[in-house]
Structure formats: structure tokens, C-alpha cells
Amino acid sequence: MPAITDDPLHVSLRLLDRRVVDVDGEPVGRVDDLAFEQDADDAPRLVSILMGPEALGARLGGVLGRVVAGAGRLRPDAAGPPEVAVTDLEEVDTEVRLAAHRDDLPFPRSEAWVRDHVIGRIPGAERSSSGGKEPGGEAGVRQPPGTGRGGEVGRGPADGGARRLRASDLLGTPVVERSGRRLGRLRDLRLRADGDVHRIDGLVTGRGVVAERLGYAYGEVVGPALLVALMRRAERRTSHIDWEDLVELTADRIVVRDGAAARPGEGAT
Amino acid sequence: MTRSGRRTPGRPAVLLVLLTLLATACVGPALRDDDYRRKAVASLEQLEATIAGTEVALDAAIAGRSFATSTAVTLRQHEETVSWTHTAFASRQPPPGTDAIRAAVVPLLAEASAVMGDIRIAANRTDVRRLAELRGRLGELGGRVEGSLREVRR
Amino acid sequence: MKKLASLTLGILTAVGAFIDIGDLVTDALVGARYGLNLAWVTLLAVVGIAVYAEMAGRVAAVTGRPVFDLVRERLGPRIALVDLTASFGLTGLLLVAELAGVALAIELATSVSYLAWIPLVTVLVFVLVWRVPFTGMERTYGVLGLAMLVFVWAAVALGPDWGALLRDAATPNVPAGEPVPTYVFYAIALLGAQMTPYEVFFFSSGAVEHGWTAENFLEMRMNVLVGFPLGGLLALAIQVVAAVVFHPVGAEAESVAMTALPVSVALGRVGLALAIVGIVAATIGATLETLMSTGYTVAQYFGWPWGKFEKRDRASRFNLLLIVVLLAAAGVALTTIDPIRLTIFAVFLGAATLPFTYLPVLVVANDVRAMGEHRNGRLANSIGTFYLVLLTVVSLAAIPLLAITTAG
């Protein structure tokens, strides 16, 4: 059964910044970034979630982002941020649940490092029975294929010339029509199921995206009346663009066909 | 493809500026008569309020309703407030034409400083008789501060 | 008895957070300066904090997610980082003030300078955080904090003209000769002292540490309904005794010693001793809460595992952060920085950050998918909206006001 049941799925509401928990519901991190792969002319498909300061730094941007990302690279083997393949997720609902047990994950490494080198050395820091490094035998720890130790958790299939994109690469990029009309920055990505993968199906731009992130745009948040009214107004300032209308995607801008931007209620969803 | 569309987050700089403003707001030089007069009024008001608080503390101490330790702490803090107020005002350069204000206010502050010192000493010795005597002096001083305040305010 | 014991999170939150150094100082200060003309702020604060604490507690019980988790999730990484910086910084400043507050209260009993006590208090707090389970900590300080009721006793013993006080409280005005911006400044400072952001951080995280679920709503609501009104009662009592003893003679109250003095006047040494015990307990409780809250906010923003004691080996970064913050706060407190001015400054700016903290709580409490049938009703939404608007106005007014009044 696929982890992602929403169709369409808006990443800023449903995935980004959501809490990531292990199979027992213990927090292991946050969805700090997303990785996509694009083969040939297909729309990019979601391959994994990224966690940790290195991924977060890219989202934050600016000097601060570089500092945060730098802190993430202090790990001895700087092989990119911890990553979990979408196929290793158990559930994506109000939080993201992994199929694995926290003791079987190779991250967060700083947690283990601090435990072994600092906290564990302070007198009185004896371990409670429930934690620690029990090998994952107890209570049938689920360790699906591909979630093994040693960092191959979603290092991501990077084979075969597929183009790799991060959500942080895309979000914030200015979107313009071919004629030059500016549509604002890219604020959100809409994914749709395509067989057993999820591909980017639409772009959301404009200043009203706060309604999407807070959850008002899709009827999930239903009150209070004042915020509902404000968010309805904000929503009018967002534009939805179908992926098919995309003309060009570069580091600096996203070019779309003239007249591609549809407002909510005009049939773009 | 690289990242784009970054913005610098946060407003910590604003906070820093405000902190600095706050830290410097209390000490700038008094350049004009009005400023000087206002500082004089503020100093006297501070003195008046501190004397009133000291009187309450002394009454409680004399009546045996308070611990010697807490009385000592309260009086020490009040002595510090008064002597700080005294030093801060006395060291301020009076603009021309404000000598009368200075002549009225500085001696009062100095006297208050001295009395507060005496009170602290008596309190530390738990000399209740002397405290009662100083309580009277403080009351009389408070009256004069009030009169002077009326004068300076005009 | 078990029911009674389960009320301690609310009592600790209320006595330790509502009646922390910020309140002890601000209540006495405004009582002495304005009489009961700012009592309305306390009523406003009690209702506001109770409504949002209930909401945050309900969200935490249903979704398992405390407040800063929601802040990051709904406001995104950048705005949440600004909120984190502000909340962490101001809670850290309050921690410095609470540590100093414990030391100042001990100074009252010993007359040995508070600076000498700060290292000892720091060690005590470390041991408490490190060795005492959450519930033990909660009960000890919840119960000891009840000694603060001596302020209520003192208010009764002083036998004030209740009718006149009530008139003052019911028809608030700015006393003659007092500048209006300063009155507004202290109104906001009082609001900030009583609705400090860390109260909801602590309460919602505590709800998660207790493992509360939807079945614990009654317990949670009892905690809110007993705890915060109790805190408000104590705050009003402090204002009343200061108003009765200091306001008529024009004395100013800007120290822990002056906060306790009216109790001496009313009840003599027994009362003073109780007041000192109460203040020490309340400020230690608040020290623990502010300290834990700094850790909660950071851990929840980054998605670290967090939790006191029971989960130490799984939440090592969280625990390390607590130690570092505690040591840093002790270091700052030892610089002889004036803890009282620091407190007033921190509670005032704390009020300005409240909309950022409360908005995500209000939004998620209305999220059908996350909350289902437990989402906000009309009452919670009306009151919640009112406070959100009010706090947004306060937030916008705060910075210009700080410049005009130079912090009172």
C-alpha cells in the first residue's frame, strides 16, 4: 500500500516541515527538503525526503542557510543529508511515518554522537531500558528492503542520467510567462499519482500561498471565521499552473506559456 | 540547477538596535534648561518614592514585623538607589541659568544619601532606638523633598 | 487524591509560569504605581492564557505535537526561525531573571548577596533537571508554590476598603500626573508577564511528556481551569497588597524585597517567611520551566527527539542544550546585570511575539484532518480570534512604545 494517499498532494502543506517519526511514533527529524528525479521529458517524480541541517540550510537560503547547512556537514562522512526513499515511508498524513525503527536508522548521527561522547559521560546518565541501541529484533522491527544500515537509506537511486532536483531548488524561483509577465515566485508544488510514483503536476505562485501552507486552501482548516475570510482573499492572489504549460526551467527562472496561470476555481485543480 | 530566490530571514538586527537605544536612553547629556529641569524633577521624584518605600520598611522593622536580614537587604538596595540618583544628577553639567535648580536639588540628594547610609548602619546593628530616630529624620527630609519638587516643577 | 495530584501540571504551570519573577516584579510595581488601575489586564490575561493553553493542550493530546512543532509546520522554516530566535532569546533572558530571582529571594532570608547564591541555585537546578522525574518536579514545586497564597491572606489581613479597590479596578484610568504611554507600556508588560509564551510551550510539551491523549481532556481542562485562575488570583493579591501599602504613600516597588514587604506589614515574620518560601519555590519552578522551554522550542523546530529524564539517552542533544543554556544563563546572571529591568524588558517584548506563537495553535485547533471531532468549537474560536487580534495590535504597538517610554 502506498504511503501517499493524497491525490493531488501539495508539498508545502502535506510534506515540507512536517514531523518525521519512526514506526513507534518517536520523532526522528523533519522533512527539511524533497528530492525529485526527472528522466527525459517526464515530469519530475518524488524520490525521497531529506532531513537534517544540511537540507534545512538549503531551504532557508542566505548566509544563515549556509551556516545551518555548514553545521550539518560537520559529520565525518559528508555524503549529503540523511535521506529516506518514498518507498520506505509507511504513511504520509498529518506527519510522516517511517517503516523503520529509530535504532535501525543511520541518522540522526549527531544524536548518537552527543549521547556517546557527552551526555553518556555525565554521572547519573544511566540509560533507561526502552532506549539505547538494542538491535532491532524486538517487537518485530520492520526493516523493509532498502532501509539497511550504513547510509544507503535513500541515498536515492542516482543511476542512469536522471536529472536530480530538490524542492529547495525550485521553490522561490521567479515564474514568468513567455511574454515576460511576472507571476511571482514559485511557492508550492502540486503532485499527482502516476502509477506508483508521484510526479509534479502543477506549480503554485503568488503571494497568497499562506492559505495553502496553513491548510485553508483545501478545506482542511475550517475556522475561525476571521482567518477563513482572510485566507479566502489571500487565495485569490495565488496562481495555479499546470506542469504541461512549463516552457523552460533554469536556475534563475521558470518560464511558462502565456495565459497558463489559472486562479483557484478556474479549473486548474 | 542551483538555488535561487533567497531572502534574508529575521529581524534580529532591529532588536539589537533597540537594545542599544534602551541602554543609552538613560544617560545622555542634558543640554538645555528644560532637559535639566526635567532631570531634576525625575531625580526628586525617584528620591521621594524611595524615601516612602524606606519608611514602610523601617516601620515594619521597628515594629518587629520583619527579619533583620530582609530589612538589611531592602535598605541596602534603597541606599544604592539614592546614592546612584545623587551621583548621576550631581555629575550632570548644568546649562547656564539653572544654578538655582542645582543648588536646591543636589544638597537634598546628598543629605538623603547620608541619612540612608546611617539607616543602613543602624539596621545592621539592629539598633531600634536609633532607627526610630532616623525614621523621624527621614520623614522630615521627605517633606522637604516634596516642597523642593513643587518649587522645581513650578 | 490521585485526581488532586494530577492537577499539579496546571499548578506548576500557573504558579511557576504565571507567578514567576516577571509577575512578582511587575505586579508589585504596577500595584504601587497605579493601584488597581491595571487589574483588568490580569483578568484579560487569565482568560487568554487559559483559552490558548486549553487549545494547545488539546492539540498536543490529540496529535502528540506541542506548540513549536506546529509553529514550524504551519509557518514554514523562515518565519518559524524568526519566532524561534525571539522566543528562545526572550525565554533565555527570563531564565537569567528567574535564576537571579531565586537568589534574590534567598538573599532576603540570609542577607548574603544574591550573586553568591547563583552558582548554588544553578547546581540545584541542574540536579533537579538531571535526577528528578517530571512528575516529581511538578508536585514539589506545585505544592510549595501554594505558599504564595500568603499574599491572599495578607490582602485580607490588611483589611483594605474593598469597595474602593473594586471601583478602581472596574473603572480603570491613568492616575493624574502619569504619562499615558508609560501606563500602556506597563499594561503590555503585565500582559506579557502573565501570558509569557513559555507557558504554552511548557504546558503543551508537558502534556506530551505525560502521554496525554483525548481521554485526558478532563484532566487537562481541570489543570487549565484551576491553574490559571489560581495564578491570576495570586497576581491580583500581589497587586492589591502593593496598592494598599505603597500606592497611598507614593512608594515605588521595583525589587523582590519590596514585593515581599507588604506581607511583613500585614502578617509579620510568619507571613514573610511563607512569602520567601513561596517566592523561592515559584522562581525555581519558573527556572525549570523557562529552561525546559528553551530546549523544547529548539528541539521541536529541528525535529529532535526531546523529553526530560525518561528519554535522556534518546534525547541527548536536547539534554545537552539544556545544560549549555543553564550554564550560559548563570554566566549572564553573574555579570550583575540588573535582573529586574531585564525582566520587565523581556516580558514586554515577550508580549510582542505572542501572535506568532498563538496563530499556529489556533489554525491547527481548527484542522479537521489533524483534530477531527476534537477541533475548536465556536466559543474557543471567538475568544481565540479576539486575542489573536488584540495581541497583533499589541505586537505592532510594542516597538514604537518601547522607543517613546524607554522601557518605563
Side-chain angles (χ1 to χ4, degrees):
Chain A
M1 174 155 154
I4 300 177
T5 51
D6 293 70
D7 190 29
L9 174 132
H10 292 79
V11 299
S12 76
L13 173 64
R14 188 56 59 216
L15 273 174
L16 285 173
D17 300 309
R18 290 277 167 161
R19 186 164 83 161
V20 181
V21 297
D22 79 347
V23 71
D24 293 340
E26 284 286 316
V28 295
R30 281 188 175 274
V31 182
D32 288 309
D33 206 348
L34 300 170
F36 296 90
E37 272 176 18
Q38 184 178 25
D39 343 73
D41 284 336
D42 284 339
R45 63 175 197 281
L46 180 67
V47 291
S48 53
I49 61 169
L50 286 77
M51 290 181 274
E54 204 179 337
L56 176 63
R59 290 276 309 295
L60 290 171
V63 178
L64 193 67
R66 280 199 292 279
V67 171
V68 172
R73 280 190 218 99
L74 290 175
R75 292 178 298 117
D77 53 333
E83 195 171 347
V84 179
V86 184
T87 47
D88 292 336
L89 303 181
E90 180 143 298
E91 192 187 21
V92 175
D93 191 28
T94 57
E95 55 195 4
V96 175
R97 186 184 297 268
L98 306 184
H101 189 266
R102 58 186 172 277
D103 292 338
D104 298 322
L105 295 170
F107 57 83
R109 260 166 286 210
S110 51
E111 189 70 55
W113 191 92
V114 171
R115 180 185 62 218
D116 295 342
H117 293 86
V118 187
I119 295 295
R121 299 193 172 183
I122 299 174
E126 73 281 354
R127 278 171 197 166
S128 57
S129 56
S130 56
K133 295 194 219 169
E134 292 158 32
E138 182 201 340
V141 167
R142 308 96 303 222
Q143 196 173 333
T147 329
R149 288 164 187 278
E152 57 286 15
V153 165
R155 177 78 17 100
D159 45 72
R163 179 191 193 188
R164 207 173 146 88
L165 293 166
R166 296 252 187 106
S168 58
D169 296 328
L170 298 167
L171 296 174
T173 309
V175 181
V176 293
E177 287 187 342
R178 196 183 275 174
S179 63
R181 188 164 83 97
R182 287 183 204 161
L183 299 174
R185 292 173 185 279
L186 180 63
R187 294 300 185 204
D188 200 358
L189 299 167
R190 185 180 72 220
L191 309 186
R192 266 201 199 277
D194 174 13
D196 48 5
V197 297
H198 280 78
R199 294 186 187 279
I200 298 181
D201 164 72
L203 311 174
V204 186
T205 68
R207 293 198 292 172
V209 82
V210 59
E212 316 230 333
R213 173 171 269 293
L214 289 178
Y216 285 92
Y218 315 111
E220 281 183 19
V221 181
V222 295
L226 176 73
L227 286 178
V228 170
L230 281 176
M231 291 303 149
R232 200 164 289 148
R233 285 178 61 118
E235 238 181 295
R236 284 192 219 119
R237 294 189 297 171
T238 58
S239 307
H240 294 249
I241 301 158
D242 285 335
W243 182 261
E244 285 135 45
D245 292 328
L246 185 104
V247 176
E248 190 194 358
L249 175 66
T250 66
D252 308 324
R253 57 184 203 151
I254 296 168
V255 183
V256 299
R257 237 169 10 89
D258 288 349
R263 301 284 169 174
E266 291 172 23
T269 319
Chain B
M1 177 148 166
T2 57
R3 225 163 294 131
S4 64
R6 301 188 194 116
R7 272 142 311 156
T8 44
R11 280 159 286 210
V14 180
L15 251 180
L16 251 182
V17 171
L18 276 166
L19 270 170
T20 321
L21 269 178
L22 196 75
T24 52
C26 313
V27 286
L31 292 177
R32 302 197 340 245
D33 320 11
D34 272 5
D35 283 338
Y36 193 74
R37 184 181 301 278
R38 219 171 313 142
K39 296 283 181 201
V41 169
S43 302
L44 286 178
E45 279 173 349
Q46 173 73 61
L47 181 60
E48 200 183 19
T50 312
I51 288 177
T54 309
E55 286 173 351
V56 177
L58 273 181
D59 290 342
I62 292 165
R65 304 181 74 80
S66 166
F67 298 124
T69 51
S70 57
T71 304
V73 173
T74 314
L75 296 177
R76 190 165 66 211
Q77 284 167 355
H78 288 182
E79 185 192 356
E80 272 166 25
T81 308
V82 170
S83 84
W84 189 88
T85 311
H86 172 218
T87 321
F89 186 75
S91 60
R92 204 171 278 283
Q93 179 68 26
T98 55
D99 289 352
I101 297 178
R102 187 179 155 82
V105 175
V106 173
L108 266 181
L109 288 167
E111 189 183 342
S113 253
V115 175
M116 296 297 286
D118 291 347
I119 291 173
R120 186 244 313 154
I121 292 165
N124 282 344
R125 290 181 184 153
T126 49
D127 184 346
V128 178
R129 260 212 2 239
R130 174 93 176 119
L131 275 184
E133 193 186 311
L134 285 165
R135 167 70 178 84
R137 245 185 99 188
L138 197 63
E140 180 265 335
L141 182 63
R144 276 188 288 142
V145 172
E146 210 182 323
S148 172
L149 193 52
R150 230 175 289 126
E151 198 124 303
V152 177
R153 267 194 194 130
R154 260 188 318 186
Chain C
M1 195 58 215
K2 195 150 179 275
K3 278 265 145 53
L4 207 64
S6 71
L7 286 178
T8 48
L9 176 62
I11 293 174
L12 175 69
T13 311
V15 178
F18 211 102
I19 302 298
D20 64 349
I21 186 75
D23 263 275
L24 291 168
V25 167
T26 321
D27 284 325
L29 194 154
V30 302
R33 188 158 175 174
Y34 299 105
L36 280 194
N37 282 303
L38 279 172
W40 57 274
V41 175
T42 301
L43 291 181
L44 196 67
V46 169
V47 175
I49 190 69
V51 167
Y52 272 95
E54 192 274 337
M55 232 186 275
R58 185 154 37 90
V59 171
V62 173
T63 68
R65 279 175 299 174
V67 169
F68 230 82
D69 215 304
L70 310 176
V71 170
R72 166 80 192 270
E73 172 185 308
R74 300 288 162 148
L75 299 183
R78 291 197 186 99
I79 298 177
L81 188 61
V82 176
D83 192 12
L84 175 68
T85 310
S87 301
F88 179 85
L90 293 170
T91 310
L93 285 185
L94 274 177
L95 170 61
V96 172
E98 309 293 352
L99 271 179
V102 183
L104 282 165
I106 303 177
E107 179 183 346
L108 275 189
T110 58
S111 149
V112 175
S113 167
Y114 80 100
L115 291 170
W117 296 107
I118 286 176
L120 287 170
V121 174
T122 307
V123 171
L124 172 71
V125 169
F126 174 77
V127 171
L128 285 172
V129 169
W130 199 247
R131 298 298 300 180
V132 182
F134 199 90
T135 43
M137 174 180 114
E138 217 172 84
R139 287 189 187 152
T140 313
Y141 292 96
V143 170
L144 279 179
L146 290 178
M148 291 297 287
L149 283 170
V150 73
F151 279 92
V152 179
W153 181 20
V156 174
L158 282 170
D161 177 354
W162 291 105
L165 284 177
L166 218 64
R167 263 197 307 284
D168 260 5
T171 55
N173 51 33
V174 185
E178 288 282 1
V180 174
T182 313
Y183 177 82
V184 179
F185 174 88
Y186 280 115
I188 295 179
L190 196 56
L191 192 71
Q194 295 173 341
M195 293 183 83
T196 32
Y198 78 86
E199 288 170 62
V200 291
F201 299 152
F202 185 79
F203 189 72
S204 67
S205 303
V208 175
E209 294 227 25
H210 276 276
W212 280 355
T213 64
E215 281 162 21
N216 303 91
F217 278 177
L218 183 68
E219 198 177 338
M220 187 269 289
R221 288 188 176 134
M222 285 298 287
N223 269 289
V224 167
L225 286 179
V226 173
F228 291 109
L230 177 67
L233 175 71
L234 295 176
L236 282 176
I238 299 173
Q239 287 174 42
V240 167
V241 295
V244 171
V245 174
F246 296 138
H247 189 56
V249 298
E252 122 190 312
E254 239 193 82
S255 64
V256 175
M258 288 300 274
T259 302
L261 182 56
V263 181
S264 297
V265 173
L267 305 172
R269 289 180 178 168
V270 177
L272 180 59
L274 276 174
I276 292 174
V277 170
I279 293 174
V280 169
T283 46
I284 288 184
T287 307
L288 294 171
E289 285 184 38
T290 44
L291 176 61
M292 305 282 291
S293 294
T294 57
Y296 289 144
T297 53
V298 172
Q300 289 161 13
Y301 176 88
F302 288 106
W304 297 349
W306 50 270
K308 192 182 126 45
F309 193 71
E310 292 85 353
K311 298 202 234 173
R312 185 174 306 127
D313 53 329
R314 272 181 275 150
S316 56
R317 287 174 296 185
F318 171 78
N319 277 286
L320 175 63
L321 181 70
L322 293 188
I323 295 172
V324 172
V325 169
L326 177 60
L327 290 178
V332 174
L334 282 173
T335 59
T336 74
I337 184 171
D338 180 352
I340 304 301
R341 293 315 297 176
L342 183 74
T343 303
I344 293 170
F345 181 71
V347 294
F348 178 80
L349 282 184
T353 68
L354 282 174
F356 285 105
T357 304
Y358 284 177
L359 174 70
V361 177
L362 184 59
V363 168
V364 177
N366 278 288
D367 190 319
V368 180
R369 184 155 174 172
M371 296 294 291
E373 54 173 327
H374 300 302
R375 67 176 187 273
N376 267 3
R378 195 164 291 171
L379 182 67
N381 269 343
S382 314
I383 305 177
T385 309
F386 168 76
Y387 279 92
L388 192 68
V389 172
L390 175 79
L391 292 168
T392 308
V393 174
V394 165
S395 189
L396 293 174
I399 302 298
L401 205 59
L402 192 61
I404 296 172
T405 59
T406 62

